[in-house]
Amino acid sequence: SPKPAAPTVQAPGRFVVQIGAFAEASAVRDVRGKAEKAGLATFTQTVNTADGQRTRVRVGPFASREEAEKAAAQAKAAGLGSSVLTL
């Protein structure tokens, strides 16, 4: 008789909430300030795009989508955009 399959352990995912991507440093400062007043710790990532350099403002990482969704709701309540992304 075949051996029963071992139970699979799913590794926790890594999720972030992106509040926006901005070309202007002043916009990055403004958005980070609003997010941090709402209790969200932010970080930034600078990337080159077809439209030039952009600075992404993000919150996280989170171990679960549920945690990320809660942070996204906080961002929305503060009047900020938010998208949950999987890393």
Side-chain angles (χ1 to χ4, degrees), residues 1-79:
S1 69
K3 239 165 113 172
T8 58
V9 177
Q10 194 170 28
R14 287 180 35 117
F15 301 90
V16 295
V17 176
Q18 182 162 310
I19 295 173
F22 307 94
E24 299 294 324
S26 60
V28 172
R29 280 192 302 275
D30 291 346
V31 168
R32 288 187 83 182
K34 286 180 184 178
E36 291 180 8
K37 280 184 184 176
L40 299 167
T42 63
F43 69 95
T44 60
Q45 179 186 35
T46 303
V47 295
N48 291 316
T49 70
D51 295 323
Q53 194 173 64
R54 298 288 184 263
T55 301
R56 296 173 176 161
V57 178
R58 293 180 166 184
V59 179
F62 301 98
S64 72
R65 178 169 287 279
E66 182 179 277
E67 288 177 284
E69 293 288 351
K70 286 180 186 177
Q74 275 184 269
K76 286 179 185 174

